[in-house]
């Protein structure tokens, strides 16, 4: 392509659009299922229960330490399938790009997206591109749909949670939220903290082989505290979290203390929260800690019958308790 920036002509269905698709998107995303001349393609699937998910990505800045919007789109979609117990197979990709956007930046992001898809073992089977007039978009937005397959008979979900179950997290929380905030150079702060954005498939597949697994979720928007409240609301049980056991990196803790944020409400993009039966909790923890992405995994809480209204109760290092309420505002917009 000779052009250096996206123009409205790249979305008009003509030669410029064809060149953009063939010479940028198809060059990076080429696979046997991607046919840029077809309106729809067939996707063969292995036996099992077919799961589908969809997501949108508007993170700002588009590139940040540890990732970018392209890799994030893959990881976010793959992770939603993985925590549901599925093996991700295919993605679709919708690209909304603003007039004037630098093509070199778009090329880097699509290359990163393709690399993340290859690492996760998924292929982009279909896509669409739209160009927004200058000033009517945020540079680049992505929307994805993911298709995966789950083993027949797999029972996994909030309805499976029982009193006495233990809660695990696969690693430090809040990394992604703070890394993106620092990349924006807001409040005069800078740092080297990297986002935790990654596929959680190795973590989820490890737990799928352990008896007593009840539920998994990736704590993205709203962080660990939001997942905890979802568990409480669905189960009617109290969830007691031990703050001293929840892993939080020191740079994350320091930024949050300076700015008044709570790291338990900040987004992660490569972590898993799991609920397991008490008799297999230690086995699950040990299995996670054998993985490169789970070396800092921790048992952080347990579920008990509620005497009155079910709540998330955080036990502080000093022995006190406070309630973690459901998130109401948006501390860090456009975080994913």
């Amino acid at each position: 392509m000779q052009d250096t920036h996206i123009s409205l002509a790249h979305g008009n269905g003509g030669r410029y659009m064809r060149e953009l698709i063939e010479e940028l998107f198809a060059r990076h995303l080429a696979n046997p299922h991607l046919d840029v001349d077809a309106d729809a393609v067939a996707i063969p699937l292995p036996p099992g229960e077919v799961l589908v998910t969809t997501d949108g990505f508007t993170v700002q800045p588009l590139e940040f330490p540890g990732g970018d919007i392209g890799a994030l789109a893959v990881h976010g979609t793959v992770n939603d399938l993985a925590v549901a117990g599925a093996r991700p197979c295919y993605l679709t990709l919708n690209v909304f790009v603003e007039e004037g956007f630098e093509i070199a930046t778009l090329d880097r992001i699509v290359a990163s997206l393709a690399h993340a898809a290859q690492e996760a073992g998924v292929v982009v089977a279909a896509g669409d591109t739209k160009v927004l007039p200058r000033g009517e978009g945020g540079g680049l937005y992505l929307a994805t749909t993911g298709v995966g397959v789950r083993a027949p008979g797999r029972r996994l979900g909030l309805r499976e949670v029982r009193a006495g179950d233990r809660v695990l997290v696969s690693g430090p929380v809040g990394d992604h939220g703070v890394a993106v905030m620092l990349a924006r150079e807001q409040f005069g702060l800078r740092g080297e903290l990297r986002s935790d954005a990654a596929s959680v498939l190795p973590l989820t597949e490890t737990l799928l082989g352990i008896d007593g697994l009840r539920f998994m979720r990736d704590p993205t928007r709203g962080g660990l505290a939001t997942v905890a409240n979802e568990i409480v609301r669905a189960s009617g049980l109290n969830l007691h979290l031990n703050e001293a056991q929840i892993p939080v990196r020191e740079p994350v803790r320091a930024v949050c203390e300076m700015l008044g944020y709570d790291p338990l409400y900040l987004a992660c993009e490569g972590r898993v929260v799991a609920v397991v039966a008490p008799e297999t909790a230690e086995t699950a923890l040990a299995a996670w800690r054998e993985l490169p992405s789970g070396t800092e995994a921790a048992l952080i809480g347990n579920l008990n019958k509620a005497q009155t209204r079910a709540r998330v109760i955080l036990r502080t290092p000093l022995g006190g308790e406070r309630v973690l309420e459901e998130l109401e505002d948006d501390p860090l917009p456009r975080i994913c």
Side-chain angles (χ1 to χ4, degrees), residues 8 30-31 47 51 63 68 80 92 109 119-120 129 136 142 156 210-211 224 248 252 266 277 281 291 299 319 333:
L8 291 176
N31 66 77
L51 272 64
E63 298 171 297
D68 55 62
D80 284 348
T92 69
I109 289 171
E119 285 192 330
T129 304
E136 295 186 13
L142 302 179
L156 197 65
I210 295 175
D211 292 336
L224 173 64
V248 180
V252 172
L266 297 184
L291 301 174
L299 280 165

Side-chain angles (χ1 to χ4, degrees), residues 315-332:
R315 187 176 298 109
T316 70
L318 296 178
E321 292 183 343
R322 66 183 177 95
V323 175
L324 289 182
E325 300 287 358
E326 190 173 7
L327 184 66
E328 293 184 351
D329 57 0
D330 190 354
L332 291 172

Side-chain angles (χ1 to χ4, degrees), residues 274-292:
V275 179
V276 298
E279 61 271 17
T280 56
E282 293 291 345
T283 300
L285 178 63
W288 263 0
R289 286 182 171 175
E290 291 180 358
L291 301 174

Side-chain angles (χ1 to χ4, degrees), residues 141-158:
Y141 298 149
L142 302 179
T144 55
T145 296
V147 178
V149 176
R150 183 168 64 189
R154 168 65 67 182
R155 297 182 64 183
L156 197 65
L158 287 168

Side-chain angles (χ1 to χ4, degrees), residues 13-286:
R15 178 172 66 87
Y16 285 95
M17 184 172 179
R18 175 178 56 79
E19 290 178 350
L20 178 66
I21 293 171
E22 292 179 352
E23 298 181 26
L24 195 152
F25 291 103
R27 176 167 57 87
H28 289 298
L29 301 173
N31 66 77
H33 302 285
L34 185 64
D35 183 351
V36 298
D37 295 320
D39 287 325
V41 296
I43 49 171
L45 291 167
E49 185 180 11
V50 177
L51 272 64
V52 63
T53 186
T54 189
D55 212 340
F57 301 88
T58 65
V59 66
Q60 189 63 241
L62 300 174
E63 298 171 297
F64 48 85
D68 55 62
I69 192 173
L72 184 64
V74 172
H75 295 146
T77 313
V78 164
N79 291 351
D80 284 348
L81 292 168
V83 295
R87 177 74 191 185
C89 299
Y90 300 98
L91 299 179
T92 69
L93 173 65
N94 292 310
V95 178
F96 302 88
V97 59
E98 188 176 1
E99 177 189 11
F101 193 79
E102 187 180 44
I103 289 177
T105 302
L106 181 62
D107 187 79
R108 283 197 311 274
I109 289 171
V110 175
S112 176
L113 186 152
H115 179 70
Q118 184 178 29
E119 285 192 330
V122 295
V123 297
V124 177
D128 186 49
T129 304
K130 293 291 188 293
V131 177
L132 303 173
R134 193 185 305 271
E136 295 186 13
L140 180 68
Y141 298 149
L142 302 179
T144 55
T145 296
V147 178
V149 176
R150 183 168 64 189
R154 168 65 67 182
R155 297 182 64 183
L156 197 65
L158 287 168
R159 292 184 179 87
E160 304 300 318
V161 173
R162 302 287 183 267
D165 286 347
R166 305 289 300 279
V167 180
L168 299 85
V169 67
S170 64
V173 300
D175 287 7
H176 177 73
V178 173
V180 171
M181 182 177 65
L182 292 177
R184 294 173 181 170
E185 299 187 1
Q186 291 179 310
F187 313 109
L189 296 175
R190 298 184 183 183
E192 300 301 321
L193 186 71
R194 295 174 63 83
S195 167
D196 61 353
S199 168
V200 301
L201 197 56
L203 294 162
T204 59
E205 289 189 328
T206 295
L207 287 199
L208 288 173
I210 295 175
D211 292 336
L213 175 64
R214 314 284 201 207
F215 167 77
M216 295 186 289
R217 180 145 297 167
D218 52 331
T220 54
R221 284 173 296 180
L224 173 64
T226 294
V227 175
N229 273 280
E230 290 171 351
I231 294 170
V232 165
R233 190 169 62 251
S235 67
L237 301 170
N238 277 341
L239 173 49
H240 291 266
L241 294 175
N242 189 335
E243 186 175 13
Q245 299 301 318
I246 300 173
V248 180
R249 299 192 195 281
E250 282 307 315
V252 172
R253 194 183 305 277
V255 169
C256 288
E257 288 177 353
M258 282 190 290
L259 301 179
Y261 291 125
D262 187 334
L264 304 187
Y265 288 93
L266 297 184
C268 308
E269 289 292 345
R271 307 292 184 224
V272 178
V273 175
V275 179
V276 298
E279 61 271 17
T280 56
E282 293 291 345
T283 300
L285 178 63

